[in-house]
Amino acid sequence: MLNEIYNRRILELAADIPRLGRLPAPHGSATARSRLCGSTVTVDLCLADGVVTDFAHDVKACALGQASASVMARQVVGSTVDELRALREAVRLMLKENGPAPEGRWADLAVLEPVREFKARHASTLLTFDAVVEAIEKAGRSESAA
């Protein structure tokens, strides 16, 4: 069963993560860490009118965290803050409550469906989504403070 979550597509995504690094002047940054395994994902993003215009991340995670981050990095630019908040909830529901996999441009996340059977792997799989939503919140706070 463990082979299902570490399938070829997961390993391909984990091996090819775009947008690695940090942004020089992000509007929001956040780090999410799994207490269970120590995986971390730090994201930087820039927003304009509620849409992500730039993104970078530092990923120090297991293959599942890397695969999630890889899909995020491929699709996040051009996404709205509302879409990204809804995406985090959809992935959480997929893993924890047997919900459907995201569709449309986020359909690659369906590869993570087998992770639902491994509760200990949920946190690392969700890191990128949690960090992105936290960075969005921080960007919004700094925008309203300015």
Side-chain angles (χ1 to χ4, degrees):
M1 185 76 171
L2 201 56
N3 287 341
E4 286 183 40
I5 63 170
Y6 294 107
N7 62 51
R8 192 180 100 232
R9 184 64 181 140
I10 290 279
L11 297 177
E12 287 172 353
L13 287 166
D16 185 24
I17 305 172
R19 297 182 166 274
L20 289 171
R22 303 293 305 270
L23 295 180
H27 297 152
S29 297
T31 298
R33 185 174 193 273
S34 169
R35 289 182 299 216
L36 185 63
C37 67
S39 292
T40 61
V41 174
T42 299
V43 303
D44 296 328
L45 53 77
C46 292
L47 297 172
D49 299 321
V51 175
V52 176
T53 58
D54 202 1
F55 177 88
H57 55 172
D58 181 32
V59 181
K60 294 190 176 23
C62 65
L64 297 171
Q66 291 174 14
S68 296
S70 182
V71 175
M72 176 64 75
R74 292 168 202 283
Q75 301 299 335
V76 68
V77 172
S79 297
T80 67
V81 296
D82 291 339
E83 176 186 1
L84 293 166
R85 287 181 183 119
L87 178 66
R88 178 179 65 172
E89 182 62 9
V91 175
R92 189 192 70 75
L93 289 171
M94 177 184 79
L95 295 178
K96 297 185 176 295
E97 297 182 27
N98 208 28
E103 297 178 341
R105 68 189 187 133
W106 298 101
D108 278 348
L109 293 169
V111 73
L112 299 169
E113 281 185 285
V115 177
R116 69 171 50 118
E117 303 302 322
F118 300 90
K119 292 185 189 319
R121 305 292 201 281
H122 290 182
S124 61
T125 305
L126 291 167
L127 288 175
T128 191
F129 306 99
D130 292 338
V132 164
V133 170
E134 185 180 343
I136 287 168
E137 302 304 326
K138 288 180 176 180
R141 285 195 296 271
S142 66
E143 184 176 275
S144 57

